[in-house]
Amino acid sequence: MPSSVHIPVRYLLWFAYSLPGFALFSCVGLSIIKDFEKSTRTHCNVFNFLPSISASIGDCEPQRYIWRLCFALDSIPRYLIAYLQLIRLLNRHHIGLPELYPFVQMSNSIIHFLELTFLLLLTYISSNEIKWIHECSFVGFMICSLVHMLLTVLIDYFWPRTIKYLPSDQERSARSKRLKWFIVNIMSFFISLYFYFRHNSACEANIYSMYCLFEYFVVLTNIAYHSVVMDEWDQQGGQIQIFY
């Protein structure tokens, strides 16, 4: 007969959202310590004090393998969490426009699944291997990430609820955190673009490092945004049953 194990949801969430942060800090830290010159070198050979994520995980070892291993372990939990979150949202009973709401939420979840898929492509196809796929994956990841965050915030704040429903303190806190992380994320992204194009046009010292710094912020605020679901699920508890 099949056996099963029950995993508390909060453990799955901690694993899924701490692993990408560990990958980022370990790969960038190792690049600074052991591959500083190689990872900070640019086409115009000016001094920089930080490596880009692509340089850290594409040109250096063991950073490449750490990054890929972490995201290999992280991918299934992230897809599973996205699916479970969709089911939870579709089961809301206080939502107005019930004919339209499932379509909007499922469309938003598809965008999130595409975001995770583009992230996997970014992870396993470096700019040194197939540059155009890496670049297209980055563009796809950023577009899907920003659109998914924006749609979620708009639904949280503006989708009509039934007249008798009032948001709980926990719901108000979660949507406030999402809005905050979305704003910081999109600001970090546009600031990083400014430094990226300034570096390419003027080749000033340390400007590429400023792009790299805000690139880190984009990744970390993306993780922080998605991890807000931990606040919601911690309140509800629950376990996942896995058969083997």
Side-chain angles (χ1 to χ4, degrees), residues 35-241:
D35 296 299
F36 181 80
E37 183 177 351
K38 180 180 180 181
S39 62
T40 57
R41 186 184 305 125
T42 63
H43 68 280
C44 51
N45 294 319
V46 294
F47 178 78
N48 286 286
F49 59 90
L50 287 175
S52 69
I53 297 175
S54 294
S56 297
I57 67 174
D59 299 337
C60 307
E61 300 173 353
Q63 294 93 301
R64 179 192 309 170
Y65 306 119
I66 293 173
W67 186 267
R68 292 181 178 182
L69 175 61
C70 287
F71 279 89
L73 295 172
D74 192 55
S75 59
I76 293 178
R78 290 290 295 272
Y79 280 109
L80 179 59
I81 290 168
Y83 171 74
L84 294 175
Q85 178 71 348
L86 172 62
I87 299 301
R88 189 186 72 83
L89 292 173
L90 291 178
N91 286 329
R92 285 178 167 177
H93 301 295
H94 55 270
I95 294 296
L97 303 176
E99 301 83 5
L100 182 60
Y101 179 74
F103 171 77
V104 173
Q105 281 293 6
M106 286 189 284
S107 299
N108 197 23
S109 290
I110 289 172
I111 295 171
H112 184 34
F113 286 129
L114 287 173
E115 173 192 346
L116 297 175
T117 303
F118 282 125
L119 181 58
L120 281 179
L121 288 173
L122 270 173
T123 297
Y124 287 98
I125 303 176
S126 71
S127 57
N128 292 335
E129 294 168 336
I130 309 178
K131 186 175 181 180
W132 70 270
I133 293 182
H134 184 82
E135 291 176 345
C136 290
S137 299
F138 174 76
V139 173
F141 169 75
M142 286 307 309
I143 291 175
C144 290
S145 172
L146 293 173
V147 170
H148 171 68
M149 286 191 281
L150 176 61
L151 282 176
T152 303
V153 168
L154 291 176
I155 293 170
D156 281 347
Y157 275 92
F158 300 111
W159 196 273
R161 268 66 166 176
T162 55
I163 295 175
K164 295 181 180 179
Y165 175 80
L166 291 175
S168 65
D169 291 340
Q170 176 263 331
E171 183 178 348
R172 286 195 292 267
S173 174
R175 71 184 188 182
S176 175
K177 288 180 180 179
R178 286 196 179 97
L179 177 60
K180 175 187 69 176
W181 289 123
F182 170 65
I183 292 173
V184 177
N185 181 270
I186 196 169
M187 288 178 60
S188 299
F189 174 64
F190 282 112
I191 293 172
S192 71
L193 284 182
Y194 164 75
F195 284 117
Y196 179 80
F197 287 112
R198 178 173 169 179
H199 163 74
N200 284 335
S201 63
C203 273
E204 302 167 79
N206 298 318
I207 293 299
Y208 192 73
S209 294
M210 296 303 299
Y211 156 74
C212 297
L213 178 63
F214 282 95
E215 182 187 33
Y216 306 159
F217 289 158
V218 170
V219 173
L220 293 173
T221 53
N222 178 276
I223 297 170
Y225 176 91
H226 289 298
S227 69
V228 172
V229 73
M230 297 172 66
D231 295 346
E232 299 170 330
W233 288 14
D234 274 347
Q235 295 289 330
Q236 298 174 0
Q239 295 181 331
I240 295 174
Q241 186 176 18

